[in-house]
Amino acid sequence: MISTTAAEIGAYVGQEVELKGWAYNFRSSGKIFFLQFRDGTGRVQAVYSNSELPEDQWNALNGIRIESSVIVTGVVKAESRSPSGFELQGISFRAVHVAPEDYPIGKKEHGPDFLLDQRHLWLRSEKQWAIQRVRNTIINATFAYFNENGYVKFDTPILTPTACEGTTELFSIEYFDMGNAYLSQSGQLYLEAGIMSLGRAFDFGPVFRAEKSKTRRHLTEFWMMDAEAAFVEHEENMAIQEGLVCRIVKDVLEKNRKELEILERDVAALEKVRAPFVHMTHAEAVAKLRELGSDIGDMDDLGGDDETVLTKLYDRPIFVEKYPAAVKAFYMKRDPQDPMRVLGSDMLAPEGYGEIIGGSQREDDYDTLLLRMKEHDVPVEPYQWYLDLRRYGSVPHSGFGYGLERIVAWVCGLQHIRETIPFPRLINRITP
Ligand code: 4AD
Ligand code: MG
């Protein structure tokens, strides 16, 4: 007997195979039983007939419920009407586990709160399955891109004594008798130490923001990838980001056609994501928004709605460059042409998705950095180690960070970020 998976059965047409998984649905005519089978790799229908199955197995089959775990064997047949292209002509059946009650998620429409309460089960549904598979491709594409471009994976700490992106959004915990520690908002500052050893480095891990934002773009726990490189300046920093995002989209288009179809994603929109991306300065973005009726001020940050409007104008990602220094973090290097602005950029994803990456060249001069910290009310003492990076062999350097869930939401075409992560943490949700 060949033991295989739903994804692989095409290699065994005409042969008898065994599959282990779950019955996600079924129907019966009394004489013929149609079992909708899934096993994590894919889905396939197994068709059993009463006359060909031993009676105890036929009874077991008729006793299953939705999401019972099962082992099925049968002969693989090509079946053009089936989405998988194949079907199993059932030979034997075994129930591994049948729940004593009906599965909570039915075929009827459920509201988002109910589904989020059932997240541990909701993950089994086809759409959620597809999202996690795309997420996995995006993670792998990211590692591949950096490994192929001379970056070393560098693990930055999650428990930290200070903030990276401002103190208002920190989760704090009591750290023995040493006072408060904070959950990391971004590994960037530590990564800057890493590149002074390794040249180029990236991290990838969960970060935490106690942001009181209840939007479709915000989680309180999300996965960030930070990348940093020595001797890289603002322009090259953006070119690296462009290369990364093109690689991610290319890999998803190559490896996840079926998933994108399940998600009803407009693939043509993703195929347009090619270099060169759109570039505009913050000043140009503001002017364009005003033309479109916005009352945004000259030195205002772009809000979520502004990003939505802008990104609907182009079919590729946009780099908005040179934001006012006042709306960005203390470590960003100022633009020598205009010291009110920084040598940084946000990358906004098209189709209304908005910011997916934030990055900049970093201030590398000791005295200037010290001044910026004072201007931003950043306490100097706990950051002595960070200042040391400008004391000993300082170099021009740049980096950026992406929010994995923002990218997954965009690539999958999802309305809300909560479906992009297995167990979302929102300001009003920490369960299951
Ligand atoms: O723009 P941010 O705040 O940049 C940084 O943290 C830098 N230290 C990164 C760096 O230069 N190494 O965050 C980076 C990205 C954003 O562009 C966005 O995609 C995502 O993280 N992000 C969030 N994603 C989900 N929920 C939130 N609350 C997020 N806040 C930021
Ligand atoms: Mg940002």
Side-chain angles (χ1 to χ4, degrees):
M1 172 77 64
I2 300 158
S3 186
T4 186
T5 61
E8 301 288 324
I9 57 166
Y12 303 104
V13 174
Q15 300 181 58
E16 192 181 331
V17 299
E18 178 187 73
L19 300 176
K20 296 175 178 173
W22 296 265
Y24 69 89
N25 209 348
F26 53 83
R27 74 193 153 84
S28 173
S29 72
K31 289 197 159 47
I32 310 278
F33 194 101
F34 301 91
L35 185 147
Q36 317 296 329
F37 173 91
R38 64 170 190 88
D39 66 358
T41 71
R43 298 182 167 219
V44 66
Q45 173 169 270
V47 184
Y48 287 94
S49 83
N50 187 0
S51 57
E52 280 160 40
L53 204 62
E55 197 184 330
D56 58 330
Q57 291 187 30
W58 179 256
N59 291 340
L61 187 59
N62 280 274
I64 63 167
R65 297 171 190 270
I66 285 179
E67 285 300 326
S68 290
S69 41
V70 298
I71 298 176
V72 300
T73 73
V75 175
V76 181
K77 286 173 51 184
E79 172 53 71
S80 57
R81 284 167 301 174
S82 143
S84 71
F86 302 97
E87 195 174 83
L88 217 57
Q89 193 63 56
I91 291 176
S92 75
F93 172 83
R94 183 153 83 82
V96 177
H97 178 251
V98 179
E101 58 200 82
D102 281 340
Y103 193 64
I105 301 177
K107 269 176 280 184
K108 68 170 199 284
E109 281 283 314
H110 293 292
D113 279 327
F114 174 83
L115 289 170
L116 285 167
D117 287 340
Q118 301 291 334
R119 183 62 174 165
H120 51 296
L121 302 177
W122 187 25
L123 286 166
R124 302 182 191 190
S125 77
E126 191 172 35
K127 191 176 159 200
Q128 301 307 315
W129 172 88
I131 294 168
Q132 289 311 314
R133 306 236 323 167
V134 172
R135 179 180 168 110
N136 182 56
T137 301
I138 293 173
I139 294 168
N140 287 334
T142 301
F143 273 76
Y145 178 79
F146 284 119
N147 282 318
E148 288 161 17
N149 285 282
Y151 284 72
V152 174
K153 172 84 171 11
F154 182 82
D155 299 322
T156 53
I158 287 172
L159 290 172
T160 59
T162 49
C164 177
E165 294 295 313
T167 49
T168 53
E169 301 168 358
L170 281 174
F171 282 108
S172 80
I173 57 162
E174 232 172 88
Y175 197 75
F176 305 108
D177 58 356
M178 295 164 70
N180 282 337
Y182 307 96
L183 298 182
S184 176
Q185 300 164 307
S186 158
Q188 178 203 320
L189 305 186
Y190 291 96
L191 208 57
E192 287 183 59
I195 61 157
M196 303 303 168
S197 164
L198 299 161
R200 293 181 176 217
F202 71 106
D203 68 14
F204 204 131
V207 296
F208 306 86
R209 303 228 173 153
E211 224 169 333
K212 292 251 161 55
S213 307
K214 202 178 166 198
T215 78
R216 62 191 176 86
R217 295 172 174 157
H218 288 89
L219 295 163
T220 55
E221 173 182 309
F222 62 98
W223 283 65
M224 192 185 288
M225 188 290 305
D226 298 282
E228 200 73 23
F231 298 104
V232 163
E233 305 202 28
H234 173 58
E235 292 292 331
E236 191 182 354
N237 193 34
M238 290 187 290
I240 295 166
Q241 296 170 45
E242 186 179 80
L244 171 64
V245 170
C246 287
R247 172 61 181 267
I248 286 171
V249 171
K250 178 177 149 280
D251 279 14
V252 172
L253 284 171
E254 250 171 54
K255 297 173 202 277
N256 296 118
R257 284 283 161 176
K258 194 168 120 199
E259 288 80 356
L260 295 172
E261 201 176 299
I262 291 165
L263 295 166
E264 296 173 36
R265 181 65 169 105
D266 174 9
V267 174
L270 289 179
E271 280 164 346
K272 290 185 189 129
V273 178
R274 296 243 165 101
F277 292 177
V278 179
H279 286 258
M280 64 175 75
T281 62
H282 172 270
E284 288 164 347
V286 165
K288 192 160 289 283
L289 285 165
R290 289 235 196 87
E291 255 170 55
L292 295 166
S294 164
D295 59 359
I296 185 169
D298 283 343
M299 297 308 246
D300 287 352
D301 199 359
L302 302 190
D305 293 342
D306 300 318
E307 292 180 359
T308 301
V309 170
L310 272 185
T311 59
K312 285 190 168 161
L313 300 176
Y314 306 91
D315 57 12
R316 295 166 194 226
I318 309 172
F319 284 103
V320 178
E321 299 177 42
K322 302 188 176 177
Y323 280 78
V327 304
K328 291 293 184 190
F330 72 93
Y331 51 72
M332 293 195 184
K333 192 177 178 70
R334 299 290 172 99
D335 179 6
Q337 314 290 316
D338 179 358
M340 296 291 283
R341 296 176 180 275
V342 292
L343 289 178
S345 59
D346 280 359
M347 189 196 292
L348 314 183
E351 301 170 83
Y353 280 91
E355 181 186 346
I356 52 173
I357 300 184
S360 77
Q361 187 162 343
R362 319 305 190 188
E363 182 50 66
D364 52 73
D365 176 69
Y366 180 89
D367 292 321
T368 315
L369 183 59
L370 195 60
L371 179 70
R372 297 292 172 242
M373 291 171 75
K374 289 182 177 151
E375 285 169 359
H376 279 81
D377 280 328
V378 175
V380 175
E381 209 28 57
Y383 287 94
Q384 283 301 335
W385 68 269
Y386 186 65
L387 283 159
D388 265 359
L389 307 176
R390 279 75 177 163
R391 271 193 200 102
Y392 306 108
S394 188
V395 295
H397 63 286
S398 305
F400 60 93
Y402 81 37
L404 175 61
E405 291 73 18
R406 298 260 183 107
I407 297 188
V408 175
W410 163 51
V411 170
C412 290
L414 306 177
Q415 285 307 309
H416 200 294
I417 199 169
R418 65 191 164 209
E419 288 182 50
T420 62
I421 187 164
F423 294 97
R425 270 66 181 113
L426 306 160
I427 58 170
N428 58 353
R429 173 174 296 277
I430 190 139
T431 53

